[in-house]
mmCIF file of all heavy atoms in Angstrom:
data_model
loop_
_atom_site.group_PDB
_atom_site.id
_atom_site.type_symbol
_atom_site.label_atom_id
_atom_site.label_comp_id
_atom_site.label_asym_id
_atom_site.label_seq_id
_atom_site.Cartn_x
_atom_site.Cartn_y
_atom_site.Cartn_z
ATOM 1 N N ARG A 2 0.562 2.107 -0.885
ATOM 2 C CA ARG A 2 1.295 3.420 -0.907
ATOM 3 C C ARG A 2 0.434 4.459 -0.206
ATOM 4 O O ARG A 2 -0.787 4.644 -0.512
ATOM 5 C CB ARG A 2 1.570 3.814 -2.372
ATOM 6 C CG ARG A 2 2.245 5.250 -2.444
ATOM 7 C CD ARG A 2 2.780 5.576 -3.769
ATOM 8 N NE ARG A 2 3.790 4.634 -4.201
ATOM 9 C CZ ARG A 2 4.545 4.780 -5.325
ATOM 10 N NH1 ARG A 2 4.243 5.731 -6.161
ATOM 11 N NH2 ARG A 2 5.478 3.903 -5.575
ATOM 12 N N LEU A 3 1.056 5.155 0.731
ATOM 13 C CA LEU A 3 0.306 6.141 1.470
ATOM 14 C C LEU A 3 0.180 7.465 0.708
ATOM 15 O O LEU A 3 1.140 7.925 0.153
ATOM 16 C CB LEU A 3 1.021 6.416 2.871
ATOM 17 C CG LEU A 3 1.112 5.228 3.792
ATOM 18 C CD1 LEU A 3 1.534 5.652 5.179
ATOM 19 C CD2 LEU A 3 -0.215 4.454 3.900
ATOM 20 N N THR A 4 -1.029 7.947 0.629
ATOM 21 C CA THR A 4 -1.343 9.182 -0.092
ATOM 22 C C THR A 4 -2.032 10.159 0.800
ATOM 23 O O THR A 4 -2.306 9.852 1.999
ATOM 24 C CB THR A 4 -2.268 8.861 -1.314
ATOM 25 O OG1 THR A 4 -3.560 8.377 -0.784
ATOM 26 C CG2 THR A 4 -1.621 7.778 -2.160
ATOM 27 N N ASP A 5 -2.375 11.365 0.251
ATOM 28 C CA ASP A 5 -3.112 12.339 1.080
ATOM 29 C C ASP A 5 -4.475 11.805 1.566
ATOM 30 O O ASP A 5 -4.975 12.184 2.568
ATOM 31 C CB ASP A 5 -3.390 13.605 0.239
ATOM 32 C CG ASP A 5 -2.138 14.386 -0.014
ATOM 33 O OD1 ASP A 5 -1.188 14.302 0.826
ATOM 34 O OD2 ASP A 5 -2.037 15.096 -1.078
ATOM 35 N N PHE A 8 -3.293 8.170 4.300
ATOM 36 C CA PHE A 8 -2.196 8.077 5.243
ATOM 37 C C PHE A 8 -2.653 8.188 6.704
ATOM 38 O O PHE A 8 -1.887 7.887 7.617
ATOM 39 C CB PHE A 8 -1.069 9.025 4.918
ATOM 40 C CG PHE A 8 -1.186 10.441 5.491
ATOM 41 C CD1 PHE A 8 -0.591 10.824 6.711
ATOM 42 C CD2 PHE A 8 -1.946 11.379 4.833
ATOM 43 C CE1 PHE A 8 -0.735 12.108 7.186
ATOM 44 C CE2 PHE A 8 -2.127 12.650 5.340
ATOM 45 C CZ PHE A 8 -1.535 13.017 6.541
ATOM 46 N N LYS A 75 1.944 8.208 13.784
ATOM 47 C CA LYS A 75 1.327 9.147 12.786
ATOM 48 C C LYS A 75 2.382 9.957 12.037
ATOM 49 O O LYS A 75 2.308 10.258 10.885
ATOM 50 C CB LYS A 75 0.339 10.078 13.526
ATOM 51 C CG LYS A 75 -0.893 9.334 13.991
ATOM 52 C CD LYS A 75 -1.837 10.307 14.721
ATOM 53 C CE LYS A 75 -3.181 9.545 15.102
ATOM 54 N NZ LYS A 75 -4.145 10.484 15.749
ATOM 55 N N ALA A 76 3.507 10.294 12.840
ATOM 56 C CA ALA A 76 4.557 10.997 12.219
ATOM 57 C C ALA A 76 5.289 10.119 11.154
ATOM 58 O O ALA A 76 5.636 10.567 10.026
ATOM 59 C CB ALA A 76 5.599 11.425 13.234
ATOM 60 N N ALA A 77 5.430 8.798 11.459
ATOM 61 C CA ALA A 77 6.030 7.861 10.508
ATOM 62 C C ALA A 77 5.196 7.723 9.288
ATOM 63 O O ALA A 77 5.709 7.613 8.152
ATOM 64 C CB ALA A 77 6.254 6.523 11.190
ATOM 65 N N ALA A 78 3.816 7.666 9.458
ATOM 66 C CA ALA A 78 2.897 7.583 8.326
ATOM 67 C C ALA A 78 3.080 8.746 7.386
ATOM 68 O O ALA A 78 3.069 8.647 6.146
ATOM 69 C CB ALA A 78 1.477 7.395 8.823
ATOM 70 N N TYR A 79 3.183 9.934 7.997
ATOM 71 C CA TYR A 79 3.368 11.119 7.172
ATOM 72 C C TYR A 79 4.662 11.125 6.411
ATOM 73 O O TYR A 79 4.705 11.428 5.196
ATOM 74 C CB TYR A 79 3.298 12.391 8.066
ATOM 75 C CG TYR A 79 3.428 13.720 7.341
ATOM 76 C CD1 TYR A 79 2.411 14.216 6.551
ATOM 77 C CD2 TYR A 79 4.579 14.437 7.466
ATOM 78 C CE1 TYR A 79 2.527 15.391 5.836
ATOM 79 C CE2 TYR A 79 4.726 15.600 6.736
ATOM 80 C CZ TYR A 79 3.680 16.091 5.973
ATOM 81 O OH TYR A 79 3.822 17.278 5.289
ATOM 82 N N LYS A 80 5.744 10.630 7.057
ATOM 83 C CA LYS A 80 7.030 10.559 6.361
ATOM 84 C C LYS A 80 6.938 9.533 5.211
ATOM 85 O O LYS A 80 7.569 9.757 4.199
ATOM 86 C CB LYS A 80 8.141 10.140 7.336
ATOM 87 C CG LYS A 80 8.502 11.157 8.377
ATOM 88 C CD LYS A 80 9.514 10.647 9.330
ATOM 89 C CE LYS A 80 9.852 11.675 10.433
ATOM 90 N NZ LYS A 80 10.806 11.138 11.469
ATOM 91 N N CYS A 81 6.271 8.454 5.441
ATOM 92 C CA CYS A 81 6.106 7.450 4.362
ATOM 93 C C CYS A 81 5.363 8.010 3.164
ATOM 94 O O CYS A 81 5.644 7.689 2.010
ATOM 95 C CB CYS A 81 5.326 6.218 4.932
ATOM 96 S SG CYS A 81 6.301 5.192 6.025
ATOM 97 N N LYS A 82 4.345 8.883 3.442
ATOM 98 C CA LYS A 82 3.656 9.558 2.384
ATOM 99 C C LYS A 82 4.581 10.434 1.557
ATOM 100 O O LYS A 82 4.552 10.398 0.314
ATOM 101 C CB LYS A 82 2.514 10.352 2.961
ATOM 102 C CG LYS A 82 1.686 11.134 1.885
ATOM 103 C CD LYS A 82 0.597 11.940 2.455
ATOM 104 C CE LYS A 82 1.025 13.179 3.186
ATOM 105 N NZ LYS A 82 1.350 14.249 2.219
ATOM 106 N N LEU A 83 5.436 11.196 2.200
ATOM 107 C CA LEU A 83 6.358 12.059 1.549
ATOM 108 C C LEU A 83 7.355 11.286 0.708
ATOM 109 O O LEU A 83 7.757 11.719 -0.363
ATOM 110 C CB LEU A 83 7.087 12.955 2.578
ATOM 111 C CG LEU A 83 6.258 13.931 3.406
ATOM 112 C CD1 LEU A 83 7.147 14.733 4.325
ATOM 113 C CD2 LEU A 83 5.492 14.911 2.410
ATOM 114 N N LEU A 84 7.817 10.125 1.247
ATOM 115 C CA LEU A 84 8.806 9.283 0.492
ATOM 116 C C LEU A 84 8.197 8.458 -0.605
ATOM 117 O O LEU A 84 8.887 7.965 -1.471
ATOM 118 C CB LEU A 84 9.421 8.310 1.512
ATOM 119 C CG LEU A 84 10.503 8.779 2.420
ATOM 120 C CD1 LEU A 84 10.878 7.698 3.439
ATOM 121 C CD2 LEU A 84 11.798 9.148 1.650
ATOM 122 N N GLU A 85 6.827 8.404 -0.655
ATOM 123 C CA GLU A 85 6.131 7.590 -1.611
ATOM 124 C C GLU A 85 6.568 6.126 -1.528
ATOM 125 O O GLU A 85 6.701 5.488 -2.577
ATOM 126 C CB GLU A 85 6.309 8.123 -3.030
ATOM 127 C CG GLU A 85 5.788 9.531 -3.197
ATOM 128 C CD GLU A 85 5.893 10.033 -4.669
ATOM 129 O OE1 GLU A 85 6.737 9.492 -5.373
ATOM 130 O OE2 GLU A 85 5.097 10.934 -5.077
ATOM 131 N N CYS A 86 6.825 5.699 -0.315
ATOM 132 C CA CYS A 86 7.246 4.269 -0.199
ATOM 133 C C CYS A 86 5.988 3.344 -0.013
ATOM 134 O O CYS A 86 4.975 3.801 0.471
ATOM 135 C CB CYS A 86 8.215 4.096 0.942
ATOM 136 S SG CYS A 86 7.652 4.407 2.588
ATOM 137 N N GLU A 87 6.151 2.140 -0.322
ATOM 138 C CA GLU A 87 5.119 1.132 -0.197
ATOM 139 C C GLU A 87 5.199 0.471 1.165
ATOM 140 O O GLU A 87 6.312 0.198 1.645
ATOM 141 C CB GLU A 87 5.205 0.117 -1.239
ATOM 142 C CG GLU A 87 5.039 0.589 -2.712
ATOM 143 C CD GLU A 87 3.576 0.850 -3.101
ATOM 144 O OE1 GLU A 87 2.709 0.298 -2.331
ATOM 145 O OE2 GLU A 87 3.352 1.499 -4.121
ATOM 146 N N LEU A 88 4.071 0.270 1.778
ATOM 147 C CA LEU A 88 3.990 -0.529 3.036
ATOM 148 C C LEU A 88 3.315 -1.875 2.781
ATOM 149 O O LEU A 88 2.250 -1.899 2.215
ATOM 150 C CB LEU A 88 3.169 0.225 4.104
ATOM 151 C CG LEU A 88 3.857 1.352 4.910
ATOM 152 C CD1 LEU A 88 4.387 2.438 4.022
ATOM 153 C CD2 LEU A 88 2.893 1.898 5.933
ATOM 154 N N ARG A 113 10.880 0.991 -1.413
ATOM 155 C CA ARG A 113 10.978 2.049 -2.391
ATOM 156 C C ARG A 113 11.354 1.422 -3.763
ATOM 157 O O ARG A 113 12.201 0.585 -3.763
ATOM 158 C CB ARG A 113 12.057 3.093 -1.997
ATOM 159 C CG ARG A 113 11.670 3.853 -0.733
ATOM 160 C CD ARG A 113 12.826 4.726 -0.249
ATOM 161 N NE ARG A 113 13.135 5.791 -1.259
ATOM 162 C CZ ARG A 113 14.175 6.620 -1.125
ATOM 163 N NH1 ARG A 113 15.031 6.460 -0.137
ATOM 164 N NH2 ARG A 113 14.374 7.546 -2.044
ATOM 165 N N ILE A 198 14.274 3.062 6.050
ATOM 166 C CA ILE A 198 14.038 3.160 4.602
ATOM 167 C C ILE A 198 14.463 4.475 3.991
ATOM 168 O O ILE A 198 14.696 4.539 2.748
ATOM 169 C CB ILE A 198 12.527 2.895 4.278
ATOM 170 C CG1 ILE A 198 12.284 2.688 2.804
ATOM 171 C CG2 ILE A 198 11.631 3.988 4.890
ATOM 172 C CD1 ILE A 198 12.991 1.473 2.166
ATOM 173 N N ASP A 199 14.600 5.497 4.782
ATOM 174 C CA ASP A 199 15.034 6.795 4.255
ATOM 175 C C ASP A 199 16.521 7.106 4.457
ATOM 176 O O ASP A 199 16.939 8.171 4.193
ATOM 177 C CB ASP A 199 14.189 7.917 4.907
ATOM 178 C CG ASP A 199 14.389 7.999 6.393
ATOM 179 O OD1 ASP A 199 14.795 7.000 7.007
ATOM 180 O OD2 ASP A 199 14.119 9.108 6.975
ATOM 181 N N PRO A 226 10.860 5.334 8.480
ATOM 182 C CA PRO A 226 11.663 6.508 8.280
ATOM 183 C C PRO A 226 12.110 7.147 9.585
ATOM 184 O O PRO A 226 11.304 7.243 10.537
ATOM 185 C CB PRO A 226 10.784 7.415 7.490
ATOM 186 C CG PRO A 226 9.753 6.509 6.808
ATOM 187 C CD PRO A 226 9.590 5.375 7.798
#
Side-chain angles (χ1 to χ4, degrees):
R2 177 169 294 184
L3 299 191
T4 64
D5 288 334
F8 85 96
K75 290 181 177 179
Y79 181 72
K80 291 177 184 177
C81 288
K82 178 179 76 76
L83 295 179
L84 280 172
E85 298 184 336
C86 66
E87 297 283 344
L88 276 60
R113 295 173 64 188
I198 189 62
D199 61 338

